[in-house]
Amino acid sequence: MEKSATTYADTLRLMNSVDVQSDLDSACEQLALTAVRLLENFDYIAKQLHTIDMLGSSPPLKPQWNSLRKDFRDLLWHFRSNAGFISGRLKMFCSVVLPLSARNSTSSRSHDEKLQVLGSFMSISADHATLTRNLVGSAMKFNNSLNTFHTEFLKSVTQRSPGGQRELRELAHKLTNLESNIRQ
């Protein structure tokens, strides 16, 4: 049995269905919870770094970590802003572009109107391009800073005396977990 092509009207109904909206809401909620958990991990690591810094056998690491946390929080804010813009564009697509495209009209004025709406929807504004460029730049800066911290942390670990080894192992494990969660 041959399957028929999906129409714009079918797509509009699908995008506005309760299941799709529920899935989007659930995904947004999970993303927000993930961000909160990541920031909690940053705080937990800061506490462990403070304990290690109190041993006094190397320069303090916590201030550098707090700076990384601020950079990460700023990065999350960039992601949130970009996601808000994308969400607005998706809503506009579902509520304006698809319904207009699904209308059956044979007049050339209607056809020209559809092309104009589609064209303006497809163009990316300079503001959004700047927002995305800043997001990418912030992500690259953060990754570089995190890698630098890891390198300095590893140097510190290899130069330390046997005291505090348990704390260092716990911290190294937590840093590894945080980095893998961030990369997801």
Short mmCIF file of all heavy atoms in Angstrom, two decimals, residues 13-47:
data_model
loop_
_atom_site.label_atom_id
_atom_site.label_comp_id
_atom_site.label_asym_id
_atom_site.label_seq_id
_atom_site.Cartn_x
_atom_site.Cartn_y
_atom_site.Cartn_z
N ARG A 13 -1.57 20.24 11.97
CA ARG A 13 -2.29 19.47 12.98
C ARG A 13 -1.33 18.69 13.88
O ARG A 13 -1.48 18.63 15.09
CB ARG A 13 -3.29 18.52 12.32
CG ARG A 13 -4.61 19.17 11.94
CD ARG A 13 -5.66 18.14 11.53
NE ARG A 13 -5.30 17.40 10.32
CZ ARG A 13 -5.48 17.87 9.07
NH1 ARG A 13 -6.00 19.05 8.88
NH2 ARG A 13 -5.12 17.14 8.04
N LEU A 14 -0.31 18.10 13.27
CA LEU A 14 0.67 17.33 14.03
C LEU A 14 1.43 18.23 15.00
O LEU A 14 1.58 17.89 16.17
CB LEU A 14 1.65 16.64 13.07
CG LEU A 14 2.81 15.91 13.74
CD1 LEU A 14 2.28 14.70 14.52
CD2 LEU A 14 3.82 15.49 12.72
N MET A 15 1.91 19.38 14.51
CA MET A 15 2.70 20.27 15.36
C MET A 15 1.88 20.85 16.50
O MET A 15 2.43 21.18 17.55
CB MET A 15 3.31 21.41 14.53
CG MET A 15 4.34 20.95 13.51
SD MET A 15 5.76 20.15 14.27
CE MET A 15 6.65 21.57 14.86
N ASN A 16 0.59 20.98 16.32
CA ASN A 16 -0.27 21.53 17.38
C ASN A 16 -0.93 20.44 18.22
O ASN A 16 -1.72 20.76 19.10
CB ASN A 16 -1.34 22.44 16.77
CG ASN A 16 -0.74 23.76 16.35
OD1 ASN A 16 0.08 24.33 17.05
ND2 ASN A 16 -1.15 24.25 15.19
N SER A 17 -0.60 19.19 17.97
CA SER A 17 -1.22 18.10 18.73
C SER A 17 -0.73 18.14 20.18
O SER A 17 0.35 18.63 20.50
CB SER A 17 -0.90 16.74 18.11
OG SER A 17 0.42 16.36 18.41
N VAL A 18 -1.55 17.62 21.05
CA VAL A 18 -1.24 17.60 22.48
C VAL A 18 0.03 16.80 22.75
O VAL A 18 0.86 17.19 23.58
CB VAL A 18 -2.45 17.01 23.27
CG1 VAL A 18 -2.10 16.85 24.73
CG2 VAL A 18 -3.66 17.90 23.10
N ASP A 19 0.22 15.69 22.03
CA ASP A 19 1.42 14.87 22.24
C ASP A 19 2.70 15.63 21.93
O ASP A 19 3.66 15.57 22.70
CB ASP A 19 1.36 13.60 21.39
CG ASP A 19 0.30 12.62 21.85
OD1 ASP A 19 -0.15 12.73 23.01
OD2 ASP A 19 -0.10 11.76 21.04
N VAL A 20 2.72 16.32 20.80
CA VAL A 20 3.92 17.07 20.41
C VAL A 20 4.17 18.20 21.41
O VAL A 20 5.30 18.40 21.87
CB VAL A 20 3.80 17.61 18.97
CG1 VAL A 20 4.92 18.59 18.66
CG2 VAL A 20 3.79 16.46 17.97
N GLN A 21 3.13 18.93 21.77
CA GLN A 21 3.28 20.01 22.73
C GLN A 21 3.76 19.47 24.08
O GLN A 21 4.62 20.05 24.73
CB GLN A 21 1.96 20.77 22.90
CG GLN A 21 1.50 21.50 21.65
CD GLN A 21 2.48 22.57 21.22
OE1 GLN A 21 3.06 23.27 22.03
NE2 GLN A 21 2.69 22.69 19.92
N SER A 22 3.21 18.34 24.48
CA SER A 22 3.61 17.72 25.75
C SER A 22 5.07 17.28 25.70
O SER A 22 5.82 17.48 26.67
CB SER A 22 2.70 16.52 26.04
OG SER A 22 3.13 15.85 27.19
N ASP A 23 5.48 16.68 24.58
CA ASP A 23 6.88 16.27 24.43
C ASP A 23 7.82 17.47 24.48
O ASP A 23 8.89 17.41 25.10
CB ASP A 23 7.08 15.51 23.12
CG ASP A 23 6.48 14.11 23.15
OD1 ASP A 23 6.11 13.64 24.25
OD2 ASP A 23 6.37 13.50 22.08
N LEU A 24 7.44 18.56 23.82
CA LEU A 24 8.26 19.77 23.85
C LEU A 24 8.34 20.34 25.27
O LEU A 24 9.42 20.72 25.73
CB LEU A 24 7.71 20.82 22.89
CG LEU A 24 7.94 20.57 21.41
CD1 LEU A 24 7.20 21.60 20.56
CD2 LEU A 24 9.42 20.59 21.07
N ASP A 25 7.21 20.37 25.95
CA ASP A 25 7.20 20.87 27.33
C ASP A 25 8.08 20.00 28.22
O ASP A 25 8.84 20.51 29.05
CB ASP A 25 5.77 20.91 27.89
CG ASP A 25 4.92 21.99 27.25
OD1 ASP A 25 5.49 22.90 26.61
OD2 ASP A 25 3.68 21.92 27.39
N SER A 26 7.98 18.69 28.04
CA SER A 26 8.78 17.77 28.84
C SER A 26 10.27 17.95 28.56
O SER A 26 11.09 17.97 29.49
CB SER A 26 8.36 16.33 28.54
OG SER A 26 9.18 15.43 29.23
N ALA A 27 10.62 18.11 27.30
CA ALA A 27 12.03 18.30 26.94
C ALA A 27 12.57 19.60 27.54
O ALA A 27 13.70 19.63 28.06
CB ALA A 27 12.18 18.31 25.42
N CYS A 28 11.77 20.65 27.50
CA CYS A 28 12.19 21.93 28.09
C CYS A 28 12.37 21.81 29.60
O CYS A 28 13.32 22.34 30.17
CB CYS A 28 11.19 23.03 27.76
SG CYS A 28 11.20 23.52 26.02
N GLU A 29 11.46 21.10 30.24
CA GLU A 29 11.55 20.90 31.68
C GLU A 29 12.81 20.11 32.03
O GLU A 29 13.53 20.45 32.97
CB GLU A 29 10.31 20.15 32.17
CG GLU A 29 10.25 19.99 33.67
CD GLU A 29 8.96 19.29 34.11
OE1 GLU A 29 7.89 19.63 33.59
OE2 GLU A 29 9.07 18.40 34.98
N GLN A 30 13.10 19.05 31.28
CA GLN A 30 14.30 18.25 31.52
C GLN A 30 15.57 19.07 31.31
O GLN A 30 16.54 18.94 32.06
CB GLN A 30 14.32 17.01 30.62
CG GLN A 30 13.29 15.97 31.02
CD GLN A 30 13.49 15.47 32.43
OE1 GLN A 30 14.60 15.20 32.87
NE2 GLN A 30 12.41 15.40 33.17
N LEU A 31 15.56 19.92 30.29
CA LEU A 31 16.72 20.78 30.03
C LEU A 31 16.94 21.75 31.18
O LEU A 31 18.08 21.95 31.62
CB LEU A 31 16.52 21.54 28.71
CG LEU A 31 17.69 22.38 28.23
CD1 LEU A 31 18.94 21.53 28.03
CD2 LEU A 31 17.32 23.09 26.94
N ALA A 32 15.87 22.32 31.70
CA ALA A 32 15.98 23.24 32.83
C ALA A 32 16.52 22.51 34.07
O ALA A 32 17.39 23.04 34.78
CB ALA A 32 14.63 23.89 33.13
N LEU A 33 16.03 21.31 34.32
CA LEU A 33 16.51 20.53 35.47
C LEU A 33 17.98 20.16 35.31
O LEU A 33 18.74 20.16 36.29
CB LEU A 33 15.67 19.27 35.65
CG LEU A 33 14.24 19.49 36.14
CD1 LEU A 33 13.47 18.17 36.13
CD2 LEU A 33 14.23 20.11 37.53
N THR A 34 18.38 19.85 34.10
CA THR A 34 19.78 19.53 33.84
C THR A 34 20.68 20.72 34.15
O THR A 34 21.74 20.57 34.76
CB THR A 34 19.97 19.08 32.38
OG1 THR A 34 19.20 17.89 32.17
CG2 THR A 34 21.42 18.79 32.06
N ALA A 35 20.25 21.90 33.74
CA ALA A 35 21.03 23.11 34.02
C ALA A 35 21.18 23.32 35.52
O ALA A 35 22.27 23.64 36.01
CB ALA A 35 20.38 24.32 33.36
N VAL A 36 20.10 23.12 36.26
CA VAL A 36 20.15 23.28 37.72
C VAL A 36 21.12 22.26 38.32
O VAL A 36 21.94 22.60 39.19
CB VAL A 36 18.73 23.14 38.32
CG1 VAL A 36 18.79 23.01 39.83
CG2 VAL A 36 17.87 24.33 37.92
N ARG A 37 21.03 21.01 37.87
CA ARG A 37 21.93 19.97 38.39
C ARG A 37 23.39 20.28 38.08
O ARG A 37 24.27 20.05 38.92
CB ARG A 37 21.54 18.60 37.85
CG ARG A 37 20.32 17.99 38.55
CD ARG A 37 20.14 16.52 38.20
NE ARG A 37 19.89 16.30 36.79
CZ ARG A 37 18.69 16.23 36.23
NH1 ARG A 37 17.62 16.37 36.96
NH2 ARG A 37 18.57 16.03 34.94
N LEU A 38 23.65 20.78 36.89
CA LEU A 38 25.03 21.13 36.55
C LEU A 38 25.56 22.24 37.45
O LEU A 38 26.70 22.18 37.92
CB LEU A 38 25.13 21.53 35.08
CG LEU A 38 25.02 20.40 34.07
CD1 LEU A 38 24.93 20.95 32.65
CD2 LEU A 38 26.20 19.45 34.18
N LEU A 39 24.75 23.25 37.71
CA LEU A 39 25.18 24.33 38.61
C LEU A 39 25.37 23.80 40.03
O LEU A 39 26.29 24.23 40.73
CB LEU A 39 24.18 25.48 38.57
CG LEU A 39 24.24 26.31 37.29
CD1 LEU A 39 23.10 27.33 37.25
CD2 LEU A 39 25.57 27.00 37.12
N GLU A 40 24.53 22.88 40.46
CA GLU A 40 24.72 22.26 41.78
C GLU A 40 26.04 21.49 41.82
O GLU A 40 26.73 21.51 42.85
CB GLU A 40 23.55 21.32 42.11
CG GLU A 40 22.27 22.05 42.44
CD GLU A 40 21.06 21.13 42.56
OE1 GLU A 40 21.15 19.92 42.21
OE2 GLU A 40 20.00 21.62 42.98
N ASN A 41 26.40 20.83 40.73
CA ASN A 41 27.69 20.13 40.66
C ASN A 41 28.84 21.11 40.77
O ASN A 41 29.85 20.83 41.42
CB ASN A 41 27.81 19.30 39.38
CG ASN A 41 27.00 18.03 39.43
OD1 ASN A 41 26.66 17.54 40.48
ND2 ASN A 41 26.67 17.51 38.26
N PHE A 42 28.71 22.26 40.12
CA PHE A 42 29.75 23.30 40.24
C PHE A 42 29.91 23.70 41.70
O PHE A 42 31.03 23.86 42.19
CB PHE A 42 29.39 24.52 39.39
CG PHE A 42 29.98 24.50 38.01
CD1 PHE A 42 29.28 23.93 36.96
CD2 PHE A 42 31.21 25.05 37.75
CE1 PHE A 42 29.81 23.91 35.68
CE2 PHE A 42 31.75 25.04 36.48
CZ PHE A 42 31.05 24.46 35.44
N ASP A 43 28.79 23.89 42.40
CA ASP A 43 28.84 24.29 43.81
C ASP A 43 29.47 23.20 44.67
O ASP A 43 30.27 23.49 45.57
CB ASP A 43 27.44 24.63 44.32
CG ASP A 43 26.87 25.88 43.67
OD1 ASP A 43 27.66 26.69 43.14
OD2 ASP A 43 25.64 26.03 43.68
N TYR A 44 29.14 21.95 44.40
CA TYR A 44 29.70 20.83 45.15
C TYR A 44 31.22 20.78 44.96
O TYR A 44 31.97 20.60 45.92
CB TYR A 44 29.04 19.52 44.71
CG TYR A 44 29.60 18.30 45.41
CD1 TYR A 44 29.20 17.97 46.69
CD2 TYR A 44 30.54 17.49 44.77
CE1 TYR A 44 29.71 16.87 47.35
CE2 TYR A 44 31.06 16.38 45.41
CZ TYR A 44 30.65 16.07 46.70
OH TYR A 44 31.17 14.98 47.34
N ILE A 45 31.65 20.94 43.73
CA ILE A 45 33.09 20.92 43.44
C ILE A 45 33.78 22.10 44.12
O ILE A 45 34.89 21.96 44.64
CB ILE A 45 33.33 20.91 41.92
CG1 ILE A 45 32.91 19.54 41.35
CG2 ILE A 45 34.79 21.22 41.58
CD1 ILE A 45 32.86 19.47 39.83
N ALA A 46 33.12 23.26 44.16
CA ALA A 46 33.71 24.43 44.84
C ALA A 46 33.95 24.11 46.32
O ALA A 46 34.98 24.50 46.88
CB ALA A 46 32.79 25.64 44.69
N LYS A 47 33.01 23.41 46.95
CA LYS A 47 33.17 23.04 48.36
C LYS A 47 34.36 22.09 48.53
O LYS A 47 35.15 22.22 49.46
CB LYS A 47 31.90 22.39 48.90
CG LYS A 47 30.77 23.37 49.08
CD LYS A 47 29.50 22.66 49.51
CE LYS A 47 28.33 23.63 49.53
NZ LYS A 47 27.06 22.96 49.79
#
